[in-house]
Amino acid sequence: MQRRAFIQKSSLAATALLTVPHFPYKQGPLYSTEELMGKADLELFGKGINLRKEAHDAFVAMHKGAEAEGFNIKMVSSYRSYARQKAIWERKYVKYTDQDNMEPLDAMAKIIEYSTIPGTSRHHWGTDIDIIDANAKVSGDVLVPSKFEEGGPFEGLKQWLDKCANDYGFYLVYTDSYFRKGFKYEPWHYSYAPTAKPMLKQYRKLNILKTLSEADILGAQHYTRAFLLDYIHNNILDINPELL
Ligand SMILES: [Zn+2]
C-alpha cells in the first residue's frame, strides 16, 4: 500500500492505527531525505574510515584482502557532509567567477567535471570511498587517472581492485566507458553497492530539481532547468550500470 493511501485510509478509521504496529514498508530500510543529502547526523565507523557500519565492515575486509597482496589501501575521502560539499563548491565557484572571470553557468559546468552540487554527492551516503595505495611511492596530487594506469604508482592496486573489489561489494562508479557522460573517469572512487543501490533508488524519488533550485548555495540563482536536468541525467544517473 502506498503511504498516502495508507494515511488516508487510516484517517478514515483512526482506531485502526492502534492495531497496526508499523508502517507497512516492505522494500527494506528507509533513508531520510536529510540522510540522502548529507544533512543527517550519521553514525560513522572506523578511525580514518568514516563509513556507515556495513560499508565499514566490507572495507575492512577488502583492506585485509589487499594487504595480503602487498597493497595498503588508504582512504583519501569517505563520508562528506553537505556543509563540507558546500564549502568545496563555493570555493571553486568564487575562484572561477571572480578570479577567472567565467560566466556563472560556465563556472558551474567546470565545477561539475569533478565536484558535485551539494546535496547530490554519493559521499553524503557513507557508502562511497576514494582510495589509493599507501605503499606506493608518489608525489603531487594522488587522485589523477594517469597514476592508476600502466606505469603509474597505483597500477598494481588498480589491477587488484579490477579483479577483487566486486567480491567485497565495492564497484567503480565513474567508469571509463566511452559512452558514459557526467563526471569524468575516477579510477579511485568505489561504492558499496549493497547499501548504495537502495539509497540511490530512494534518492531518485526525491524532487531533486526543486530541492536544488531552492538551495542556499552560491551560483544556485543561475541554475537553469536544462542545467539541472542534464546534471541529474548525466552526473547522478550515468554511472556504472551495476550500481543502478
Ligand atoms: Zn569520490
Side-chain angles (χ1 to χ4, degrees), residues 77-78 80 114 121 123 128-131 143 174 186 188-190:
S77 191
S78 50
R80 200 181 300 145
Y114 281 109
S121 174
H123 285 286
D128 282 46
I129 58 179
D130 296 335
I131 50 176
L143 301 185
Y174 310 111
E186 294 191 0
W188 52 83
H189 185 131
Y190 281 81

Side-chain angles (χ1 to χ4, degrees), residues 31-33 36-37 119-120 122 125 196-211 232-234 236-244:
Y31 304 99
S32 68
T33 304
L36 292 167
M37 296 190 68
T120 71
R122 298 178 62 96
W125 299 347
K197 277 173 77 162
M199 289 188 88
L200 178 62
K201 207 169 169 191
Q202 213 174 306
Y203 189 88
R204 295 176 72 163
K205 293 180 186 162
L206 304 178
N207 192 341
I208 308 170
L209 195 67
K210 182 167 183 285
T211 311
I232 293 167
H233 195 252
N234 298 332
I236 298 179
L237 297 176
D238 199 358
I239 56 174
N240 183 348
E242 299 276 2
L243 289 164
L244 292 172

Side-chain angles (χ1 to χ4, degrees), residues 85 88-90 92-93 96 102 104-121 174 180-186 212 217-219 223-224 226-236 238:
Q85 193 64 37
I88 293 171
W89 172 274
E90 294 193 334
K92 290 192 176 184
Y93 185 80
Y96 295 152
M102 291 174 79
L105 267 179
D106 294 335
M108 295 193 287
K110 188 166 166 62
I111 298 174
I112 63 170
E113 285 181 7
Y114 281 109
S115 295
T116 56
I117 297 177
T120 71
S121 174
Y174 310 111
R180 201 179 55 76
K181 300 190 192 79
F183 292 113
K184 292 194 171 179
Y185 174 46
E186 294 191 0
L212 294 185
I217 295 163
L218 280 183
Y223 290 158
T224 61
F227 174 82
L228 289 178
L229 285 175
D230 273 0
Y231 179 82
I232 293 167
H233 195 252
N234 298 332
N235 295 65
I236 298 179
D238 199 358

